[in-house]
Amino acid sequence: MKGFTRIQAFLTICLILMMGVVWGLPIAPALYAFDYLDAYGANDRGWIDLAITGFSASIAFLVWGFFLLLLSGFLQFIIHLRFEDKIEAPLASLTTIRWAICGQLHRSTQPFLTHVVPSFFANGYYRLAGCKIGKNVNINTITLNDPSLVEIGDNVVIGGGATLNGHLVERNRIVLEKITIGPSALVGGGSMVGPGSRIGNQSVLASRAVLPKRKVIPDNETWGGFLHVLFMKIKILPSDTRRWVNRSRWPFLQQSLSICSSYFQKRVHVLQH
């Protein structure tokens, strides 16, 4: 897309203004609720009157939060991309723009969403945003990113702080892939699930574990830990440089060279489970 940098800058400003609308509109019913309840006070600024004002303010905050979830979820339902399993597009494309808008709408709810997970309020919001959720599901995280790319079966528990990402960027292209969690599965707290992954029926992803992109946990299995891969490889220093390091007065430099040389030449492909 030609001129995408300028379009991106313009859309950034639009998103900031959009957040003013998304956060601002729910204030209207919140103010109505506050005025309605606060009217029962005596307006004498006594303790009882101040208690009524405080109670009215707290109820107004709750009204604002629930209307925020409703508005954000409804907008995501309209805007989110609809496809079967996977979509891939240039990073400078309308697909990226629609995905980014939905992501920002979801993040706008997090200041309030953190107070209502796990509950049927949170599940209702995720459903409205496009997530397919079965019966008796407990979602105890606000970082179920890309809700429209996640499908959750019956009796699933997603632990606190778990992160589910249905997107990634590869070779200057946005890739969106659906995440599937089978019935009676458990996603441990603090774990991370990558795009295109699948967790089988009655399977467990342990706490703090990492499930990389497009990995599949078969049914009735428990996986933990993370996949070790080689991220980078460094060249061994020339012999003359090594001799200079060996003659160096700084022992820590010799030790650092030894550790780095041995570490970065090893490849470990072990998934602890």
Side-chain angles (χ1 to χ4, degrees):
M1 180 183 293
K2 295 182 179 180
F4 184 76
T5 303
R6 294 182 179 179
I7 295 175
Q8 186 179 32
F10 173 75
L11 289 176
T12 300
I13 298 174
C14 291
L15 280 176
I16 294 173
L17 296 176
M18 182 188 73
M19 296 315 302
V21 175
V22 172
W23 281 330
L25 285 180
I27 293 178
L31 291 175
Y32 179 84
F34 176 82
D35 290 340
Y36 179 82
L37 295 173
D38 192 53
Y40 286 94
N43 293 323
D44 60 358
R45 313 313 294 170
W47 284 108
I48 295 179
D49 183 58
L50 292 175
I52 293 176
T53 299
F55 175 75
S56 303
S58 64
I59 295 299
F61 172 74
L62 293 175
V63 171
W64 171 81
F66 288 127
F67 271 89
L68 173 63
L69 295 180
L70 184 64
L71 178 60
S72 177
F74 178 72
L75 291 176
Q76 290 179 69
F77 176 78
I78 296 175
I79 300 173
H80 82 262
L81 296 159
R82 291 166 172 82
F83 55 92
E84 290 299 326
D85 296 314
K86 177 182 177 181
I87 187 171
E88 187 174 341
L91 197 57
S93 65
L94 291 175
T95 298
T96 303
I97 293 173
R98 290 176 62 182
W99 164 78
I101 292 174
C102 288
Q104 182 60 34
L105 286 169
H106 173 60
R107 287 189 293 273
S108 72
T109 66
Q110 292 181 354
F112 181 78
L113 185 62
T114 188
H115 299 292
V116 295
V117 293
S119 71
F120 65 92
F121 292 112
N123 287 12
Y125 158 72
Y126 281 126
R127 283 194 177 98
L128 188 58
C131 182
K132 296 181 180 179
I133 302 176
K135 300 177 181 179
N136 193 30
V137 172
N138 285 285
I139 302 175
N140 190 24
T141 180
I142 63 174
T143 49
L144 196 158
N145 303 322
D146 311 306
S148 62
L149 302 180
V150 179
E151 183 174 345
I152 304 172
D154 298 338
N155 304 308
V156 169
V157 175
I158 299 179
T163 300
L164 283 73
N165 283 326
H167 69 276
L168 57 86
V169 176
E170 290 182 329
R171 297 178 180 86
N172 204 34
R173 297 178 69 83
I174 184 75
V175 180
L176 306 175
E177 294 187 56
K178 293 192 174 182
I179 297 172
T180 304
I181 303 176
S184 302
L186 169 64
V187 179
S191 59
M192 296 185 66
V193 180
S197 300
R198 181 186 180 278
I199 300 176
N201 303 348
Q202 298 183 350
S203 294
V204 175
L205 180 64
S207 298
R208 306 291 180 180
V210 176
L211 186 63
K213 61 181 181 180
R214 306 182 185 99
K215 281 289 183 180
V216 177
I217 299 180
D219 296 345
N220 305 306
E221 289 193 7
T222 299
W223 284 25
F226 56 96
L227 183 66
H228 298 260
V229 297
L230 182 68
F231 286 106
M232 60 180 293
K233 189 172 183 178
I234 60 174
K235 294 181 178 179
I236 302 301
L237 295 176
S239 57
D240 56 343
T241 304
R242 292 202 303 271
R243 286 194 298 270
W244 175 83
V245 172
N246 291 333
R247 292 196 304 268
S248 174
R249 296 181 180 178
W250 303 311
F252 77 90
L253 189 58
Q254 301 178 23
Q255 185 179 7
S256 299
L257 176 64
S258 176
I259 294 174
C260 290
S261 298
S262 60
Y263 176 79
F264 285 108
Q265 292 187 69
K266 292 182 180 180
R267 293 191 179 189
V268 182
H269 300 281
V270 178
L271 184 64
Q272 301 172 356
H273 63 280

